[in-house]
Amino acid sequence: ILFTNIVLPILFRNKREPSFPITIFRIMQFKDMTLLITLIITFLAVTTSFAPNNHAISSSNTALQMGLLDGLFKSSKQASCLHILVDGPKANDQLLDMKIDIYKKAVGMFGDVSEGVDPAKLVSAFSQKAKSKSICPSKKDGGSLGTFGEGEMAKEFDRVAFKEQVGVIHGPVETEFGSHLILITNRE
């Protein structure tokens, strides 16, 4: 509605019914491209702001869905992580102990480490530990930070999330917020 009521009348001041080729021609000849871009961005912002959210809930979605124009201004790299945040003078020692406990639970009491760690058990054990030990509000979600783009987290956290191996517990990683264990669950 915004497009047909505002943008088209500006482009076709003397036309009754613009045809598609004329529309393209007029847009290409539009003198004030800044106004055109502003109108298009406004149109997209209004239509996406009031559009119903029909996204299915999946592990790759976050509470705040990525906006239509976010990809224009941010990196296209995305990562999903779980983390455990602790603070204090012995935070790194605590995290190293937690890391060992998580891997023990993921392998099982009589598990064979040579066959690797079951990813589902690793995520489950990590989430349980995050719920009980993390000081971050994400602990209620098992330490899940959802999906985020490169540059959205603290520099040290970001480096691990986008450069290190997926499916492995990394850390302790120290940031301005404290010390973290980070489990990268997906990266695109």
Side-chain angles (χ1 to χ4, degrees), residues 68-183:
L68 182 62
L69 300 175
D70 287 353
L72 295 175
F73 306 107
K74 296 181 182 174
S75 169
S76 62
K77 290 183 181 179
Q78 298 282 305
S80 300
C81 295
L82 304 175
H83 84 127
I84 299 171
L85 173 64
V86 295
D87 201 6
K90 296 189 179 197
N92 288 347
D93 294 335
Q94 292 174 342
L95 288 175
L96 289 173
D97 290 341
M98 284 184 221
K99 191 176 190 178
I100 292 167
D101 289 344
I102 293 167
Y103 274 118
K104 281 182 182 177
K105 287 181 182 176
V107 172
M109 187 173 254
F110 301 106
D112 185 6
V113 180
S114 65
E115 293 181 20
V117 176
D118 179 12
K121 286 182 180 179
L122 182 63
V123 168
S124 175
F126 195 97
S127 292
Q128 289 173 2
K129 191 62 79 171
K131 285 179 182 179
S132 65
K133 300 292 184 181
S134 183
I135 62 169
C136 181
S138 69
K139 76 186 219 171
K140 70 181 182 337
D141 298 320
S144 176
L145 296 172
T147 302
F148 53 89
E150 194 170 17
E152 292 181 28
M153 298 294 179
K155 179 179 64 174
E156 303 84 358
F157 194 101
D158 216 46
R159 183 190 57 74
V160 171
F162 290 96
K163 303 282 186 225
E164 299 296 332
Q165 186 177 353
V166 174
V168 176
I169 300 173
H170 300 281
V173 176
E174 294 184 35
T175 69
E176 62 188 285
F177 304 104
S179 294
H180 306 258
L181 284 182
I182 302 169
L183 175 60

Side-chain angles (χ1 to χ4, degrees), residues 1-11 27 34-51 67-69 72:
I1 294 171
L2 179 67
F3 188 77
T4 56
N5 290 339
I6 296 174
V7 176
L8 287 179
I10 291 171
L11 294 175
I27 290 173
T34 308
L35 177 60
L36 178 62
I37 291 169
T38 303
L39 290 172
I40 291 171
I41 289 174
T42 303
F43 168 73
L44 292 173
V46 169
T47 57
T48 56
S49 295
F50 296 106
L68 182 62
L69 300 175
L72 295 175

